[in-house]
């Protein structure tokens, strides 16, 4: 378990009035994708338990008690980081979710995608093209032509990205890097993977590297 560094001394616990007095709203965000997952409320005890256990805990206004997310469903939220806003009266909580966050069974309490990160919506669009007629879109044609062609395109775009950087053509570098990212997402989907898997791997490597540096 990693100790989360968070200074709670300046939190304005008295900002909320009425039914939410003594509570601070906590926006929960997926650490790897940037997707907003849910909104909850914390009091001092909920914050303390969250930091002590690295499992996100709220004060339930309906139950009138502390409530650790996933205590019955098992869909817990592993705490990665927490921060206060500029007025010290709300939290942004970065997490790794274990299963769907919403009680309806969806990943987020905002399931329509309108407020989700662009890369997430782009991935969903790419997924929707899979299985469609090849003449309906370029993406559909890639899927139909198969893994070898998709992988070839990733290689081509990777080379063109490197060449643009080597010639210091920043505009072309942005264009080629965009092509590379798009084709990489297609390839990952073709293999049953996603950018979230890449982000998770990078996070694991970063964590291991930090532990190694600490132990030296």
């Amino acid at each position: 378990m990693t100790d989360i560094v968070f200074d709670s001394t300046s939190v304005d616990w008295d900002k909320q009035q009425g039914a939410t007095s003594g509570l601070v709203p906590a926006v929960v965000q997926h650490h790897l994708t940037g997707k907003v997952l849910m909104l909850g409320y914390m009091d001092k005890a909920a914050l303390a338990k969250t930091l002590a256990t690295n499992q996100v805990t709220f004060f339930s206004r309906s139950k009138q008690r502390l409530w650790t997310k996933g205590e019955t469903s098992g869909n817990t939220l592993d705490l990665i980081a927490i921060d206060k806003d500029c007025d010290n009266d709300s939290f942004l909580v970065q997490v790794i979710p274990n299963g769907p966050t919403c009680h309806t069974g969806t990943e987020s309490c905002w399931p329509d995608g309108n407020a989700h990160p662009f890369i997430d919506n782009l991935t969903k669009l790419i997924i929707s093209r899979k299985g469609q007629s090849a003449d309906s879109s370029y993406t559909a044609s890639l899927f139909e032509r198969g893994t070898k062609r998709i992988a070839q395109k990733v290689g081509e775009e990777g080379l063109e990205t490197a060449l643009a950087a080597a010639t210091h053509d920043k505009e072309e570098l942005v264009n080629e890097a965009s092509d590379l990212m798009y084709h990489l997402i297609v390839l990952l989907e073709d293999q049953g993977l996603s950018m979230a898997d890449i982000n998770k791997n990078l996070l694991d490597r970063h964590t291991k590297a930090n532990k190694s540096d600490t132990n030296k």
Side-chain angles (χ1 to χ4, degrees):
M1 183 180 296
T2 303
D3 292 331
I4 306 298
V5 178
F6 179 70
D7 179 14
S8 62
T9 57
S10 61
V11 176
D12 189 351
W13 297 103
D14 300 321
K15 187 70 169 287
Q16 300 289 324
Q17 301 297 318
T20 56
S21 178
L23 302 178
V24 168
V27 177
V28 179
Q29 184 179 37
H30 197 306
H31 185 60
L32 299 179
T33 67
K35 183 180 295 184
V36 177
L37 300 177
M38 65 172 292
L39 171 69
Y41 287 85
M42 291 184 181
D43 61 2
K44 292 180 181 180
L47 175 62
K49 186 173 182 180
T50 296
L51 294 173
T53 64
N54 281 14
Q55 296 292 301
V56 178
T57 298
F58 303 101
F59 180 82
S60 172
R61 293 170 295 166
S62 59
K63 299 180 177 69
Q64 286 294 296
R65 64 170 177 83
L66 294 187
W67 165 61
T68 299
K69 178 69 178 70
E71 62 186 24
T72 56
S73 67
N75 299 326
T76 55
L77 300 171
D78 294 341
L79 179 67
I80 300 299
I82 184 170
D83 202 1
K84 299 165 289 189
D85 73 347
C86 57
D87 292 322
N88 298 311
D89 60 2
S90 67
F91 298 145
L92 180 62
V93 185
Q94 295 271 321
V95 305
I96 300 294
N98 298 300
T101 298
C102 185
H103 71 283
T104 63
T106 59
E107 181 183 13
S108 168
C109 292
W110 291 270
D112 61 7
N114 290 336
H116 293 173
F118 169 73
I119 200 72
D120 184 61
N121 288 334
L122 176 60
T123 299
K124 288 180 179 178
L125 179 62
I126 288 172
I127 293 172
S128 72
R129 297 289 194 258
K130 197 172 184 179
Q132 292 185 358
S133 172
D135 58 6
S136 64
S137 70
Y138 173 69
T139 304
S141 70
L142 279 176
F143 282 125
E144 183 168 289
R145 296 180 70 178
T147 302
K148 288 186 178 179
R149 178 53 182 162
I150 300 171
Q152 180 184 14
K153 287 299 297 181
V154 171
E156 292 173 358
E157 299 300 344
L159 177 59
E160 291 173 2
T161 298
L163 289 174
T167 58
H168 303 289
D169 188 337
K170 292 184 179 180
E171 181 177 357
E172 189 63 12
L173 176 57
V174 170
N175 287 327
E176 296 300 343
S178 298
D179 288 342
L180 175 60
M181 286 297 297
Y182 158 76
H183 286 93
L184 179 59
I185 294 172
V186 174
L187 181 62
L188 289 171
E189 173 55 29
D190 175 74
Q191 295 295 298
L193 297 169
S194 71
M195 288 302 298
D197 295 298
I198 306 303
N199 290 336
K200 178 63 167 57
N201 187 50
L202 289 171
L203 175 62
D204 289 342
R205 291 184 185 184
H206 175 71
T207 302
K208 289 178 182 178
N210 282 346
K211 286 182 179 179
S212 177
D213 290 341
T214 301
N215 293 331
K216 286 183 180 179

